[in-house]
Amino acid sequence: MKKDLVILGAQWGDEGKGKVVDLLSAEFDAVVRYQGGSNAGHTVIVGGEKFVLHLLPTGILHQHTIGIVAQGMVVDLELLVDEIEGLEKRGLSVWERIFVSDRVHLVMPYHKVLDSLFERKGKIGTTLRGIGPSYMFKYGRKGIRVCDLEDKDRTYKLMKENLEFVQDLCEKVYCENHSLDLDDMFERTMESYKSIKERVVDTTRWLLKFEGRVLFEGAQGTMLDIDMGTYPYVTSSNASALGLSNGTGLPPKYFSQSDFWAVSKAYTTRVGEGPFPTELTDETGLMLRERGGEYGATTGRPRRCGWLDLVALKHAVEVNGLDGIILTKLDVLDQFKEIKVCVAYEEDGKVFESFPAGLTTLSKVKPVYKSFRGWLKDTRGAKSPSELPENALSYVQFIQDYLGVPVVMLSTGPEREEYFWLCQPAWKEV
Ligand code: GDP
Ligand code: IMO
Ligand code: MG
């Protein structure tokens, strides 16, 4: 039985999934993105050269892999073509290794207009990439899918109806005009479709027939999941394991033999609005941001930073059914004299050991911390546990004991080679 692997974000995104998926892809034959869209920014650094992927699966950077853009994604076709061509210009052959699902929904310019308008009231702090509105149209049964583009007349009609609806909304509700041009939008979409058309397939059937090993690359993170995250301060897809089956079009049974791992930083960050119980708005928070280079890979926004939140991480372990955690950015903590981890929340004498659903509760809870002595030594690039200071090992051991699942890998720097295994996965021995 072939072992596939699912890599998810355990926190509020930006955990280092790109770095991890890239290095693991060396051992897989196909890599699949299946939810979200260009709101994702997955960074890979190879020999000092930086790549940031938004729509393509990160594993595409290895020349032997096949990349799949599966049906659960929402895709801005123009951006997808640009991303592929950008990599081709950097010497990677991508066109012949990529497949795009015929069921993928498109992100259209009117979705981006709506994304900005919706941000005016009840701000979420979105990436403004049109993601939420595109999923709204999908679930409202007004979306346009890649397979629809074969029928030009139908596509034109759908675009016209959608554009008129958005223009009406802009004028009548927001008292604004948006001069999006239907013909221009249509032509540009068709132009991008012409480039990608040969690569469009039924990716579900393709995956069902494929005999190689597959890595599924989650975007965003469990705490941004539309159902299991800090709703409404979330993204509009199932970024947890819940999104795998509908995002790929594969039956839940398909994943019964797969390993499920999630990536977590050794501390916590979040971009945009919403509850963040362990957030540090003081010097310590600033130090985490500067040492960690915590600025968004998609929007460049400074990320909010705080201590590791084990209550939230335990929630991720449970809802994803995790087999292991990959811990990144331990090196960022090297210069801290004291390091804290949140082991429970407390509000008015009431202790919460599991992650509450309600926004009101979440905005009031205070973290209960356990404190660790820092190691004050450089761990960047460490290649084995023996190279880690005792205090760093105790920190990792505590996380593992609290969560009840192993930390399988430690990432000790942004470069591809800066990591080591703490437990070898079974498929490494195959
Ligand atoms: P993703 O969205 O989960 O792929 O994460 P991002 O790429 O948005 O952000 C993670 C950032 O951390 C990137 O700049 C990575 O290069 C960097 N990074 C990943 N792992 C490590 C690590 O172990 N140590 C350090 N210092 N940086 C890391
Ligand atoms: P990766 O894959 C971090 C956040 C936005 C905002 C909320 C909703 O790189 O980890 P959206 O544009 O999706 O409607 O925004 O979700 N967000 C992310 N935060 N990493 C991401 O992706 C994110 N994608 C969306 O900042 O708070
Ligand atoms: Mg990111």
Side-chain angles (χ1 to χ4, degrees):
M1 177 58 89
K2 78 185 173 110
K3 267 267 193 201
D4 288 341
L5 176 64
V6 178
I7 296 287
L8 303 160
Q11 300 169 302
W12 279 277
D14 302 328
E15 298 90 347
K17 298 176 294 294
K19 184 241 156 109
V20 168
V21 169
D22 166 68
L23 76 90
L24 292 175
S25 296
E27 318 235 8
F28 288 81
D29 305 300
V31 186
V32 182
R33 269 283 310 270
Y34 57 90
Q35 45 74 228
S38 63
N39 48 351
H42 296 176
T43 315
V44 178
I45 302 182
V46 194
E49 205 184 335
K50 181 170 169 175
F51 297 85
V52 182
L53 296 155
H54 300 284
L55 287 164
L56 292 171
T58 309
I60 201 79
L61 297 180
H62 291 263
Q63 283 292 345
H64 72 278
T65 57
I66 290 171
I68 306 279
V69 172
Q71 64 177 42
M73 289 186 73
V74 288
V75 172
D76 180 327
L77 277 193
E78 243 175 289
L79 283 185
L80 179 61
V81 172
D82 283 355
E83 200 166 309
I84 296 172
E85 293 195 333
L87 290 183
E88 291 263 344
K89 281 201 192 101
R90 292 173 79 173
L92 285 151
S93 62
V94 177
W95 279 117
E96 64 267 30
R97 296 189 291 120
I98 192 83
F99 290 115
V100 179
S101 163
D102 49 2
R103 291 185 169 87
V104 148
H105 276 252
L106 302 186
V107 174
M108 299 300 298
Y110 46 78
H111 293 136
K112 294 183 196 164
V113 166
L114 284 182
D115 207 347
S116 305
L117 284 183
F118 293 156
E119 282 290 89
R120 300 256 179 92
K121 276 190 190 158
K123 187 174 177 206
I124 303 289
T126 75
T127 58
L128 301 176
R129 297 297 190 272
I131 306 300
S134 178
Y135 279 116
M136 276 170 74
F137 276 50
K138 169 176 172 171
Y139 287 103
R141 291 153 299 169
K142 299 287 180 203
I144 302 175
R145 297 178 301 165
V146 166
C147 56
D148 297 323
L149 300 178
E150 272 301 299
D151 183 342
K152 281 190 174 187
D153 294 340
R154 185 157 172 274
T155 301
Y156 189 83
K157 193 167 160 277
L158 274 171
M159 263 186 212
K160 185 166 184 291
E161 281 170 14
N162 285 347
L163 185 60
E164 283 169 0
F165 169 75
V166 173
Q167 268 162 346
D168 268 1
L169 197 72
C170 289
E171 280 168 33
K172 294 180 182 149
V173 179
Y174 291 90
C175 302
E176 270 194 29
N177 280 315
H178 277 282
S179 53
L180 290 173
D181 183 77
L182 174 63
D183 289 330
D184 179 58
M185 192 186 304
F186 178 76
E187 291 308 326
R188 290 172 75 151
T189 306
M190 285 305 169
E191 198 54 38
S192 304
Y193 179 54
K194 214 160 79 187
S195 310
I196 208 105
K197 191 176 156 148
E198 294 299 309
R199 309 311 302 164
V200 174
V201 297
D202 178 338
T203 51
T204 300
R205 302 223 152 272
W206 190 93
L207 281 165
L208 285 172
K209 283 196 198 128
F210 188 59
E211 288 176 356
R213 289 155 89 201
V214 186
L215 196 164
F216 295 88
E217 175 180 355
Q220 290 80 53
T222 306
M223 305 313 291
L224 288 171
D225 181 282
I226 184 84
D227 291 299
M228 307 314 293
T230 45
Y231 189 88
Y233 296 100
V234 290
T235 192
S236 295
S237 66
N238 283 114
S240 73
L242 301 189
L244 266 169
S245 188
N246 74 33
T248 55
L250 293 168
K253 258 189 193 165
Y254 175 98
F255 299 97
S256 59
Q257 300 299 317
S258 305
D259 280 319
F260 283 73
W261 292 346
V263 185
S264 169
K265 283 176 186 167
Y267 51 97
T268 310
T269 65
R270 120 163 257 180
V271 204
E273 309 298 312
F276 180 175
T278 62
E279 181 171 17
L280 297 166
T281 49
D282 56 4
E283 282 301 306
T284 311
L286 284 179
M287 187 164 154
L288 281 171
R289 180 184 296 156
E290 292 318 311
R291 283 195 51 84
E294 297 297 355
Y295 295 89
T298 297
T299 59
R301 289 178 291 175
R303 295 174 182 150
R304 299 157 64 193
C305 298
W307 294 124
L308 186 65
D309 183 342
L310 288 179
V311 181
L313 209 48
K314 181 85 178 174
H315 178 68
V317 169
E318 288 169 355
V319 304
N320 293 314
L322 293 183
D323 300 302
I325 292 279
I326 295 173
L327 200 65
T328 60
K329 304 190 96 164
L330 190 72
D331 54 298
V332 173
L333 299 179
D334 286 352
Q335 300 303 320
F336 289 83
K337 279 200 197 102
E338 183 191 23
I339 296 165
K340 294 184 186 176
V341 286
C342 168
V343 291
Y345 298 153
E346 194 246 355
E347 191 224 335
D348 257 348
K350 188 174 170 208
V351 175
F352 295 79
E353 276 163 9
S354 59
F355 199 81
L359 207 58
T360 315
T361 309
L362 274 172
S363 61
K364 287 194 207 146
V365 294
K366 297 271 173 286
V368 177
Y369 284 120
K370 175 172 168 59
S371 175
F372 287 82
R373 221 173 314 139
W375 41 94
L376 301 172
K377 283 207 180 97
D378 190 8
T379 63
R380 169 98 193 247
K383 292 300 279 177
S384 77
S386 63
E387 290 178 40
L388 288 188
E390 201 56 41
N391 291 357
L393 284 172
S394 312
Y395 185 68
V396 175
Q397 186 66 48
F398 182 81
I399 295 169
Q400 184 165 277
D401 292 346
Y402 182 102
L403 296 176
V405 290
V407 174
V408 290
M409 177 194 280
L410 269 183
S411 167
T412 54
E415 282 273 354
R416 190 183 265 174
E417 292 75 26
E418 290 177 314
Y419 77 95
F420 62 88
W421 291 103
L422 284 163
C423 13
Q424 283 284 355
W427 49 259
K428 290 280 295 177
E429 292 146 22
V430 182

